[in-house]
Amino acid sequence: MDKKILSTGAILGMIAIILGAFGAHALKKVLTIDQLATFETGVRYQMYHAIFLLFIGLTQDLSLKTKKTIYLLVVFGVLLFSGSIYLLATNDLTAFDFKIIGFVTPIGGLLLIVAWSILLLRVLNKKSQN
């Protein structure tokens, strides 16, 4: 499971860098400043959670079940949160109106919050090794 978590973290990080560069260069010419800032928010949160997955994959202080739960929450959270932000920010570039999927952005954000909350609870409930 650690290899899967680490690989996913690396892939999400790589894609975040690609999308960040794409936004800074190609999209800069076709999006407004506000749309570009929105797109960059998606990139930033994707990168934060790529690094979070790397941490989860490397730590030995969490059970396999906890790691798997956090992994699933982060993957689906990033897809819903950052993915919907990318689509909403570039909405004017397509014929499809992505505003109808805007409701998934806070759902994705909630999944990310729950993932961090699970980590916090596990840390707080961990018995001291003294």
Side-chain angles (χ1 to χ4, degrees):
M1 187 70 193
D2 287 341
K3 184 176 180 180
K4 183 177 184 178
I5 294 170
L6 291 168
S7 298
T8 303
I11 290 167
L12 287 177
M14 181 180 64
I15 292 170
I17 292 170
I18 292 167
L19 289 174
F22 180 68
H25 299 287
L27 293 180
K28 188 176 186 179
K29 300 170 186 164
V30 294
L31 296 182
T32 66
I33 292 172
D34 287 342
Q35 290 169 325
L36 195 56
T38 298
F39 190 88
E40 289 172 354
T41 297
V43 171
R44 192 170 49 252
Y45 276 78
Q46 181 173 330
M47 183 58 82
Y48 294 156
H49 289 88
I51 295 167
F52 183 48
L53 284 181
L54 294 176
F55 169 76
I56 296 301
L58 291 172
T59 188
Q60 300 301 315
D61 293 334
L62 298 172
S63 70
L64 180 61
K65 180 180 177 185
T66 298
K67 286 184 177 192
K68 186 174 184 178
T69 301
I70 290 172
Y71 170 79
L72 291 171
L73 288 165
V74 169
V75 168
F76 287 108
V78 167
L79 285 173
L80 294 176
F81 184 81
S82 291
S84 66
I85 286 178
Y86 299 142
L87 295 174
L88 291 166
T90 59
N91 192 53
D92 293 346
L93 304 178
T94 67
F96 185 81
D97 188 4
F98 287 108
K99 290 179 184 172
I100 63 170
I101 61 135
F103 71 93
V104 303
T105 308
I107 295 170
L110 180 62
L111 295 176
L112 297 172
I113 291 166
V114 171
W116 284 93
S117 298
I118 289 171
L119 175 62
L120 175 63
L121 290 172
R122 294 304 181 267
V123 168
L124 293 176
N125 290 330
K126 185 169 172 47
K127 303 280 189 244
S128 179
Q129 299 289 337
N130 298 2

